[in-house]
C-alpha cells in the first residue's frame, strides 16, 4: 500500500513538473511529508529538486527532507541552495541530525555554516562532531530535560511549560545532582500523578539504564530495544549527563546495521548500489569476487587431481552440482543465523562452542536425510552400491562441514572484533565448495578403489 502511494505521488509530481503546473504542484508538495518527498527526489534532476524545495513552505519539512536524503543526494542538492537558507533550515532541526549532515560536508563549507548558526546551536553541534559517528556520543541529542533532584513536581511542570518547549523527547525527566551527574529518571506520567509539592528524588526511579558516550551505536540500540524505553541517557566517564539517544534514532540504527550486514554478506560493500558510481561499485566488489575466483581455481585443481577417477567413472561428475549446492545452502543458512543472532544480541560470542555444536548437529542430521535421498537416486540410476554410498557420504560430509564453517567463521570474526557479516557470502561459500569437492572425490576414490 505504501509503495503504491509513493509511486502515485512520484507520477503525479513528475507529470505536473512537465506541465509546469506550479499552483497544483505547490499544493501537493506542501501536503506531502518530507520523508515521502525524499523518495520523490530520487527520480528528479537537480533542477527539478531545487524547484520542489523552493515550494516547501514549512521549514521543519525542509529539515526532514534534508535528513532523509542519501548523502550524495543531499550534497548535490545544497550546492544549489544559498548558504543563508541552509543555515536557516539547520537552525530548526534537532541538533543530532544537524551534526550528521554537517559531518557529510567539506570542511570549508561546514566551518562556514557553523559560524553562521546561532551560537548555542553551533556549540552543541561542534560538541557532537568530536565523537565518532557510530558511537552513542555521535548519535545522541544534547537537548533533554534535566532537573535537580530537589525540584518539586509543580516546579518541574512549570519548567516544561517555560524552559523546555523545544525538547524533542520530553517523556522522560532526568534528575541530576549539583555536579550534573545522573541520579534518577521520572516519566511524564509519574510527574503529573504525584502531589505538586513532592520532590523528584521522592518518586523518581534510581535504577536508570544509561550508556557511555564511547559505546557503539549498535549496542545502544540493543539496550533501547531490550528494555522497551523511548530514550536512553548518555553519560560521560564521570557519569555526567550529556545527551539522550531516542527511539527514532534506534530505528535508523537497526535499519542501517541490517542493510550493512545484508550488503556485506552479498559481498557488495556497505552502500546501496544507487549511491555508488560505476567505478566505485566495481572497486568494492572486485576483492570480494576475487575470493570466489581463487576458490574456483582451487576447486579446478582438485577436480584435475581426480581426473583419472572421472574418466573411469564419468557419472561421478554428474553429482558435483548437487553436493556443492547442498553444502553451500546450509552454510549460508548457518552463517546468516549466526550473523543476525550476533547483530540482535540473541547470540553471544561466549557461547561460540554451544552455537557451533548446535549448527554442526543440525547439518549432520540434514546431511543424513538428504544423503540417503540423493544416494538412493544414484543407486536407482546406476545400480552401483559403492557409488550410491560415496554420493551419500559426500552429501553428509559436505553439509556437516558447511554448517560447521558457516557458524564458526562468523563467531571467530566476532571474537577478534571483525564484523561477522564479512565472513559470509564469498568466503563461506568458496570454502565450502572447495571442501565439498575434495571430500566427494576422496570418498569416491577410496570406496571405489580407484
Amino acid at each position: 500500500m505504501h509503495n503504491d502511494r509513493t509511486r502515485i505521488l512520484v507520477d503525479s509530481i513528475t507529470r505536473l513538473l512537465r506541465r509546469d503546473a506550479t499552483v497544483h504542484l505547490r499544493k501537493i508538495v506542501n501536503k506531502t511529508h518530507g520523508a515521502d518527498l525524499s523518495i520523490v527526489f530520487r527520480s528528479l534532476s537537480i533542477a527539478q529538486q531545487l524547484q520542489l524545495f523552493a515550494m516547501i513552505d514549512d521549514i521543519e519539512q525542509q529539515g526532514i527532507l534534508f535528513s532523509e536524503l542519501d548523502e550524495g543526494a543531499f550534497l548535490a542538492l545544497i550546492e544549489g541552495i544559498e548558504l543563508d537558507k541552509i543555515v536557516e533550515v539547520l537552525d530548526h532541526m534537532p541538533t543530532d541530525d544537524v551534526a550528521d549532515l554537517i559531518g557529510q560536508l567539506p570542511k570549508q563549507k561546514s566551518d562556514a555554516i557553523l559560524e553562521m548558526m546561532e551560537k548555542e546551536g553551533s556549540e552543541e553541534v561542534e560538541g557532537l562532531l568530536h565523537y565518532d559517528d557510530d558511537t552513542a556520543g555521535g548519535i545522541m541529542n544534547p537537548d533533554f530535560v534535566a532537573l535537580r533532584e530537589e525540584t518539586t513536581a509543580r516546579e518541574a511542570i512549570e519548567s516544561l511549560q517555560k524552559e523546555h518547549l523545544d525538547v524533542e523527547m520530553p517523556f522522560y525527566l532526568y534528575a541530576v545532582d549539583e555536579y550534573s551527574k545522573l541520579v534518577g529518571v521520572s516519566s511524564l506520567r509519574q510527574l503529573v500523578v504525584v502531589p505538586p509539592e513532592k520532590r523528584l528524588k521522592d518518586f523518581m526511579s534510581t535504577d536508570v539504564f544509561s550508556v557511555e558516550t564511547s559505546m557503539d551505536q549498535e549496542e545502544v540500540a540493543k539496550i533501547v530495544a531490550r528494555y522497551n524505553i523511548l530514550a536512553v541517557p548518555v553519560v560521560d566517564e564521570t557519569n555526567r549527563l550529556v545527551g539522550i539517544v531516542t527511539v527514532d534514532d534506534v530505528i535508523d540504527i537497526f535499519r542501517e546495521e541490517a542493510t550493512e550486514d545484508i550488503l556485506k554478506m552479498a559481498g557488495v560493500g556497505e552502500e546501496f548500489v544507487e549511491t555508488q558510481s560505476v567505478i566505485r561499485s566495481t572497486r568494492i566488489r572486485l576483492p570480494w569476487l576475487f575470493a570466489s575466483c581463487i576458490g574456483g581455481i582451487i576447486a579446478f585443481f582438485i577436480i584435475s587431481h581426480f581426473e583419472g577417477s572421472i574418466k573411469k567413472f564419468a557419472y561421478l561428475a554428474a553429482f558435483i552440482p548437487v553436493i556443492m549446492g547442498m553444502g553451500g545452502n546450509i552454510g549460508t543458512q548457518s552463517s546468516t543465523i549466526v550473523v543476525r543472532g550476533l547483530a540482535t544480541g540473541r547470540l553471544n560470542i561466549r557461547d561460540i562452542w554451544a552455537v557451533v555444536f548446535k549448527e554442526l548437529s543440525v547439518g549432520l542430521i540434514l546431511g543424513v536425510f538428504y544423503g540417503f535421498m540423493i544416494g538412493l537416486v544414484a543407486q536407482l540410476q546406476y545400480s552401483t552400491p559403492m557409488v550410491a554410498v560415496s554420493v551419500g557420504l559426500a552429501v553428509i560430509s559436505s553439509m556437516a562441514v558447511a554448517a560447521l564453517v558457516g557458524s564458526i567463521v562468523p563467531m571467530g570474526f566476532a571474537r577478534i572484533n571483525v564484523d561477522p557479516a564479512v565472513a559470509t557470502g564469498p568466503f563461506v561459500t568458496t570454502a565450502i565448495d572447495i571442501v565439498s569437492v575434495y571430500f566427494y572425490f576422496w570418498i569416491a576414490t577410496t570406496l571405489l578403489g580407484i
Side-chain angles (χ1 to χ4, degrees):
M1 183 69 73
H2 177 73
N3 288 337
D4 291 342
R5 177 169 160 265
T6 303
R7 181 176 52 78
I8 293 171
L9 179 63
V10 171
D11 291 342
S12 299
I13 290 179
T14 305
R15 187 170 59 254
L16 290 172
L17 279 168
R18 284 199 299 263
R19 289 166 48 191
D20 199 22
T22 306
V23 176
H24 295 296
L25 191 56
R26 182 179 291 274
K27 288 181 181 178
I28 291 178
V29 167
N30 283 289
K31 287 181 180 179
T32 305
H33 194 275
D36 292 328
L37 283 177
S38 70
I39 299 174
V40 176
F41 270 42
R42 295 174 188 169
S43 59
L44 302 178
S45 66
I46 294 297
Q48 291 173 326
Q49 290 179 12
L50 291 170
Q51 184 181 348
L52 284 192
F53 181 80
M55 293 180 181
I56 304 174
D57 297 327
D58 188 347
I59 196 165
E60 291 187 358
Q61 290 300 318
Q62 292 177 334
I64 292 172
L65 175 63
F66 274 4
S67 62
E68 290 292 330
L69 289 173
D70 295 327
E71 180 177 346
F74 168 69
L75 294 176
L77 177 65
I78 64 169
E79 284 298 317
I81 301 175
E82 294 292 333
L83 207 58
D84 290 344
K85 179 60 180 177
I86 297 173
V87 172
E88 182 186 2
V89 175
L90 295 180
D91 276 331
H92 286 80
M93 292 177 62
T95 309
D96 54 335
D97 290 341
V98 175
D100 289 341
L101 294 178
I102 288 182
Q104 299 172 11
L105 300 175
K107 190 175 188 308
Q108 185 177 357
K109 193 159 195 170
S110 63
D111 289 343
I113 289 175
L114 287 171
E115 280 185 23
M116 296 176 65
M117 287 180 67
E118 295 178 5
K119 184 177 180 183
E120 183 180 353
S122 64
E123 288 176 350
E124 289 181 343
V125 172
E126 286 178 335
L128 293 179
L129 291 173
H130 289 146
Y131 299 104
D132 291 336
D133 292 340
D134 57 355
T135 63
I139 62 173
M140 71 182 181
N141 189 334
D143 298 324
F144 51 87
V145 182
L147 301 171
R148 293 286 295 275
E149 56 185 330
E150 300 291 335
T151 305
T152 65
R154 175 184 284 111
E155 291 170 341
I157 292 173
E158 290 175 354
S159 177
L160 284 173
Q161 294 171 337
K162 297 176 182 178
E163 301 173 19
H164 298 97
L165 293 174
D166 297 328
V167 173
E168 182 183 1
M169 181 63 72
F171 303 111
Y172 295 124
L173 287 81
Y174 297 100
V176 295
D177 62 15
E178 57 184 318
Y179 303 106
S180 296
K181 294 185 178 181
L182 181 65
V183 293
V185 62
S186 169
S187 68
L188 198 58
R189 179 183 177 280
Q190 286 176 305
L191 183 67
V192 298
V193 298
V194 299
E197 299 307 320
K198 200 162 189 177
R199 295 175 299 179
L200 273 178
K201 70 177 185 179
D202 295 328
F203 63 88
M204 70 184 185
S205 171
T206 56
D207 186 19
V208 188
F209 301 109
S210 63
V211 299
E212 287 198 8
T213 52
S214 58
M215 180 177 283
D216 185 85
Q217 63 174 11
E218 197 169 356
E219 295 302 316
V220 177
K222 290 176 186 176
I223 289 174
V224 174
R226 184 181 305 135
Y227 299 110
N228 292 318
I229 50 182
L230 296 174
V232 61
V234 183
V235 297
D236 62 15
E237 61 276 3
T238 65
N239 201 45
R240 187 173 64 88
L241 183 62
V242 292
I244 60 173
V245 175
T246 55
V247 69
D248 59 322
D249 294 318
V250 168
I251 293 171
D252 290 338
I253 292 167
F254 276 129
R255 182 178 61 188
E256 291 169 5
E257 295 292 342
T259 299
E260 284 184 13
D261 285 349
I262 291 170
L263 293 177
K264 284 179 179 178
M265 289 166 69
V268 292
E270 301 178 10
E271 302 174 14
F272 280 120
V273 66
E274 62 264 27
T275 64
Q276 303 171 359
S277 66
V278 173
I279 299 299
R280 177 173 170 75
S281 182
T282 303
R283 191 172 67 247
I284 289 173
R285 297 190 197 187
L286 189 63
W288 298 87
L289 293 175
F290 184 72
S292 296
C293 179
I294 294 298
I297 293 172
I298 294 173
F300 160 74
F301 282 114
I302 291 173
I303 294 173
S304 298
H305 178 72
F306 294 100
E307 192 173 353
S309 303
I310 297 175
K311 286 181 178 178
K312 190 171 182 179
F313 297 94
Y315 45 76
L316 288 176
F319 292 97
I320 293 176
V322 69
I323 293 171
M324 293 174 65
M326 296 302 292
N329 285 333
I330 196 168
T332 301
Q333 289 176 351
S334 294
S335 58
T336 301
I337 290 169
V338 172
V339 168
R340 290 311 300 153
L342 291 169
T344 58
R346 294 182 179 274
L347 293 180
N348 193 295
I349 54 175
R350 292 193 298 271
D351 305 324
I352 179 170
W353 297 118
V355 172
V356 169
F357 179 75
K358 178 182 177 181
E359 287 302 312
L360 178 59
S361 300
V362 172
L364 193 58
I365 293 169
L366 291 173
V368 170
F369 178 82
Y370 285 105
F372 176 78
M373 184 184 298
I374 298 170
L376 184 61
V377 172
Q379 174 63 25
L380 293 174
Q381 179 69 23
Y382 298 110
S383 301
T384 307
M386 282 298 102
V387 171
V389 173
S390 299
V391 172
L393 289 177
V395 171
I396 294 171
S397 60
S398 174
M399 295 184 71
V401 172
L404 175 66
V405 173
S407 57
I408 200 170
V409 172
M411 291 291 280
F413 272 46
R415 185 175 281 272
I416 60 175
N417 296 319
V418 175
D419 191 337
V422 303
T424 58
F427 290 105
V428 168
T429 53
T430 299
I432 291 168
D433 287 347
I434 294 171
V435 171
S436 298
V437 169
Y438 177 77
F439 270 100
Y440 174 43
F441 283 110
W442 179 75
I443 291 169
T445 53
T446 301
L447 294 181
L448 294 173
I450 304 172

